[in-house]
Amino acid sequence: MFTLSPAEADALLLSLRVSLVATFVSLPLGLLTAWVLARRDFWGKSILDAIIHLPLVVPPVVVGYLLLVLLGRNGPVGGFLYDVFGITVAFTWQGAAVAAAVMAFPLMVRAIRLSIEAADQRLETAARTLGAGPLRVFATVTLPQILPGILVGVVLAFARALGEFGATITFVSNIPGETRTLPLAIFGLLQVPGTDEAVIRLVVISIAVAFAALIASEILSRRISRRLRGTA
Amino acid sequence: MIEVDIERRVPGFELSAKFSAPAGVTTLFGASGAGKTMIVNMIAGLARPDRGRITIAGRTLFDSEAGVNLPPEKRRLGYVFQEPRLFPHMSVAANLRYGMRLVAEAERTLEFDPVVGLLGLGPLLKRLPHRLSGGETQRVAIGRALLASPRLLLMDEPLASLDDQRRGEILPFIENVSRTFAVPVIYVTHALDEVTRLADTVVLVSAGRIEAVGPVGEIMARLDLRQLTERRDAGAVLDVTVESHDDADGLTALTFAGGRLTVPRLQVPPGTALRLRVQARDVALALEAPKAISTLNILRGTVMEVGDGQGPQTNVLVDVGAPLFARLTRRSVRELGLEPGRTVYALIKSVAVDWPAGGGETP
């Protein structure tokens, strides 16, 4: 029987919490961004697109550093948050979630954007002529059509967040019980000689979680597309 | 009353449309690319005119001068598109109720059951759109648009994507819709038989302009409308009244402005007003009253106009008390010496009878 030690359980639960929060808190913004990129034309659109994709191409350490500069207690955004609301995210699990969300954001936006571009706008037009305003059209006609794309985006983002390492360790360090997620715990153990077995156990846990997430998403996506196409 | 006066310019195309039409069925008729769909889209609020005014039953939907431009969802128009555009993730019933739910109960003019009944949708309600045939799909689309209680129903070539058999199945439904529910309809088509069958008013559209507007009988009688003249499927529309029945021979006598016609027994009481369609290719002309001939319907008339197209056949317009077209070869026209003013006898081989005319209100 595979039982988790308290430290392992801590790391696993923290990883799940950070990844889930990162994914679902950024989802509305991701949806909005994807919609704007897919449907609107405006000056500076390619610049916005590039900024969103930046975390995909620059080293994660750079993203972590930028977050530290921006969101640290002395940074322009972090300082404001601290002075006005007394909030600080640097060196907290919320900070880890921010780092994970930023790193996962481009993947989420890409997947959702593609599905919005593929959605049939003629159906939306039909809904408008039937008396539905833009928001209702989005909720009742667009959203059901792009659900598979949203699911893909969520799974990709969740997986990316689960594996996030570089930006996290740079931004919020490696604090047991606070910011020490699975990858960080593995990295920490690797620094200490004679911890091979503990490393392997964490590796197995990581793989199991990723696997479970993928299978769950596959089942869900099949169910969604079946309902969508009505081939039930 | 529908009043449209709009202009719109897009690269390579200029549209200027001004017409008004009473309630009933108004067909926008013209070749593909004439701008019919653009007109309908501007009425629906899906495209914006550069300038002009659109008023439906006294309600202004668009007025560039007053700065009025209602969004499509506020216009309360039904729109049946060329492709049915049903929502694939909703059942037929949910599709039908989509627009209906958005109309306040007090403002609903059409109820679910009668519409479902008229369109024969009862057995389909639980199905999903991908399980429907083309004709069924288009019927659901019509029902969905109707149930939003529109003040005007726009139909953009709703039969264009169907084969001839399916078209034949749906046409009676469309006919019934305008008559039964008294919803004014703007119907876009480039099929002449749909015009003669459905229209009360015809708006002829050609290259972004309105060529002619008027009651269907009047427009169909104008040979100068070249779009119509050189078409094989030209035809005339006659408004007739049932006079009497001859049960022994199984025939019905009809009267119209130009005299009497005999057709196979119709199951309607005497006095009923009907619309007949007489296709040009079903009419032959003779210079003398033919004797010993099987044709029952022979009407005396005067040649009004002879078409001047280039093909081997042409249409001749004959006034028999009402305008009638005959499709003849150019050789026959020459050999008979047909020219305006000539007295001729029109032999009508067959007529098609439409449902009672004037059933829908046409104020």
Side-chain angles (χ1 to χ4, degrees):
Chain A
M1 183 64 194
F2 193 92
T3 42
L4 297 176
S5 74
E8 285 167 350
D10 265 5
L12 173 60
L13 290 176
L14 183 65
S15 263
L16 291 176
R17 183 175 3 148
V18 165
S19 305
L20 286 172
V21 168
T23 306
F24 286 100
V25 171
S26 62
L27 180 57
L29 187 63
L31 201 52
L32 182 69
T33 310
W35 187 85
V36 167
L37 288 176
R39 290 288 172 82
R40 290 272 171 253
D41 268 316
F42 51 91
W43 189 88
K45 180 169 164 175
S46 45
I47 296 173
L48 176 67
D49 200 23
I51 291 173
I52 288 165
H53 279 92
L54 219 50
L56 218 52
V57 283
V58 301
V61 179
V62 172
V63 175
Y65 173 75
L66 289 174
L67 285 174
L68 198 56
V69 169
L70 278 173
L71 292 171
R73 199 171 289 179
N74 298 321
V77 181
F80 171 80
L81 287 177
Y82 185 68
D83 292 343
V84 179
F85 302 105
I87 302 171
T88 180
V89 292
F91 307 110
T92 65
W93 74 267
Q94 290 94 334
V98 169
V102 170
M103 295 303 296
F105 200 62
L107 293 172
M108 178 189 281
V109 169
R110 259 187 111 73
I112 299 176
R113 177 184 175 172
L114 282 176
S115 67
I116 293 178
E117 280 168 352
D120 191 348
Q121 278 183 267
R122 296 174 311 169
L123 296 181
E124 297 171 15
T125 313
R128 291 289 296 274
T129 64
L130 288 166
L135 273 181
R136 183 184 295 273
V137 170
F138 182 78
T140 57
V141 177
T142 317
L143 204 55
Q145 283 190 82
I146 64 171
L147 223 47
I150 293 178
L151 183 69
V152 170
V154 163
V155 170
L156 281 175
F158 180 74
R160 182 67 188 81
L162 209 54
E164 210 325 281
F165 176 78
T168 309
I169 202 164
T170 314
F171 180 35
V172 293
S173 186
N174 190 350
I175 306 163
E178 185 68 37
T179 65
R180 180 174 289 177
T181 57
L182 282 172
L184 270 64
I186 294 171
F187 175 75
L189 287 172
L190 284 173
Q191 308 296 304
V192 186
T195 53
D196 295 359
E197 195 203 338
V199 168
I200 288 170
R201 286 173 63 87
L202 285 180
V203 166
V204 169
I205 295 169
S206 301
I207 293 173
V209 172
F211 218 67
L214 287 176
I215 289 176
S217 85
E218 184 57 33
I219 294 171
L220 207 57
S221 104
R222 253 186 236 171
R223 194 173 297 177
I224 289 176
S225 62
R226 211 184 310 151
R227 181 162 347 140
L228 217 56
R229 261 180 277 118
T231 44
Chain B
M1 192 74 175
I2 300 152
E3 279 166 282
V4 173
D5 176 8
I6 44 182
E7 279 171 25
R8 181 172 150 99
R9 198 191 286 248
V10 292
F13 191 72
E14 214 172 299
L15 183 113
S16 168
K18 180 172 179 180
F19 65 90
S20 59
V25 179
T26 303
T27 52
L28 297 187
F29 176 60
S32 308
K36 307 182 298 285
T37 298
M38 195 192 269
I39 294 174
V40 171
N41 279 341
M42 287 193 284
I43 295 174
L46 303 179
R48 195 196 157 106
D50 296 333
R51 188 208 68 73
R53 244 173 92 82
I54 300 169
T55 311
I56 309 290
R59 188 161 164 265
T60 302
L61 305 181
F62 179 85
D63 187 339
S64 56
E65 267 168 42
V68 177
N69 182 21
L70 294 184
E73 66 268 22
K74 296 257 156 60
R75 297 199 176 196
R76 295 284 310 276
L77 308 176
Y79 197 147
V80 179
F81 300 88
Q82 223 173 91
E83 349 76 54
R85 304 195 189 185
L86 298 184
F87 305 128
H89 55 292
M90 297 181 196
S91 68
V92 167
N95 265 286
L96 289 171
R97 289 207 168 90
Y98 189 91
M100 192 176 107
R101 285 187 305 116
L102 299 174
V103 181
E105 221 153 310
E107 287 182 42
R108 284 183 201 160
T109 51
L110 298 174
E111 293 302 321
F112 192 76
D113 292 335
V115 171
V116 167
L118 181 95
L119 293 168
L121 301 176
L124 310 177
L125 289 178
K126 289 200 175 122
R127 282 201 225 161
L128 284 158
H130 80 106
R131 298 254 173 195
L132 302 176
S133 72
E136 289 169 339
T137 311
Q138 200 53 282
R139 260 150 59 202
V140 175
I142 295 168
R144 181 177 71 173
L146 276 175
L147 284 168
S149 296
R151 298 187 168 111
L152 170 68
L153 186 61
L154 304 168
M155 303 181 104
D156 184 11
E157 307 206 22
L159 305 179
S161 58
L162 304 174
D163 57 47
D164 274 350
Q165 199 193 334
R166 299 264 172 282
R167 283 181 62 211
E169 278 172 35
I170 306 246
L171 259 171
F173 286 114
I174 296 178
E175 236 172 345
N176 278 342
V177 159
S178 58
R179 311 238 185 274
T180 312
F181 297 127
V183 178
V185 176
I186 288 190
Y187 188 99
V188 170
T189 185
H190 62 258
L192 198 52
D193 61 327
E194 290 171 26
V195 175
T196 49
R197 178 135 180 198
L198 298 171
D200 295 309
T201 307
V202 178
V203 177
L204 270 185
V205 188
S206 168
R209 324 211 128 260
I210 304 297
E211 206 112 312
V213 186
V216 60
E218 207 173 282
I219 293 291
M220 288 302 158
R222 284 178 56 183
L223 205 59
D224 62 306
L225 301 169
R226 292 211 41 177
Q227 288 195 53
L228 298 174
T229 55
E230 290 314 313
R231 294 181 60 131
R232 232 171 43 76
D233 55 351
V237 175
L238 303 179
D239 289 316
V240 301
T241 310
V242 176
E243 189 189 65
S244 60
H245 299 298
D246 178 346
D247 286 322
D249 288 343
L251 296 173
T252 295
L254 308 168
T255 55
F256 75 111
R260 294 182 82 195
L261 286 169
T262 309
V263 298
R265 176 78 154 93
L266 299 172
Q267 301 304 325
V268 288
T272 309
L274 294 172
R275 178 183 288 178
L276 293 189
R277 282 174 292 129
V278 184
Q279 299 244 293
R281 59 169 176 264
D282 292 331
V283 178
L285 297 182
L287 290 181
E288 293 162 17
K291 283 169 213 147
I293 188 169
S294 64
T295 308
L296 278 177
N297 293 308
I298 299 172
L299 299 165
R300 187 168 184 246
T302 312
V303 173
M304 302 298 291
E305 265 184 281
V306 179
D308 57 358
Q310 297 305 314
Q313 294 186 313
T314 190
N315 291 331
V316 176
L317 177 61
V318 181
D319 181 4
V320 293
L324 200 66
F325 284 106
R327 182 135 189 101
L328 308 179
T329 60
R330 217 163 271 289
R331 178 186 290 169
S332 305
V333 171
R334 193 177 59 236
E335 287 176 357
L336 294 181
L338 294 180
E339 53 184 35
R342 213 60 221 231
T343 299
V344 290
Y345 293 84
L347 287 68
I348 301 171
K349 282 175 274 185
S350 84
V351 300
V353 180
D354 280 350
W355 285 100
E361 48 173 8
T362 27

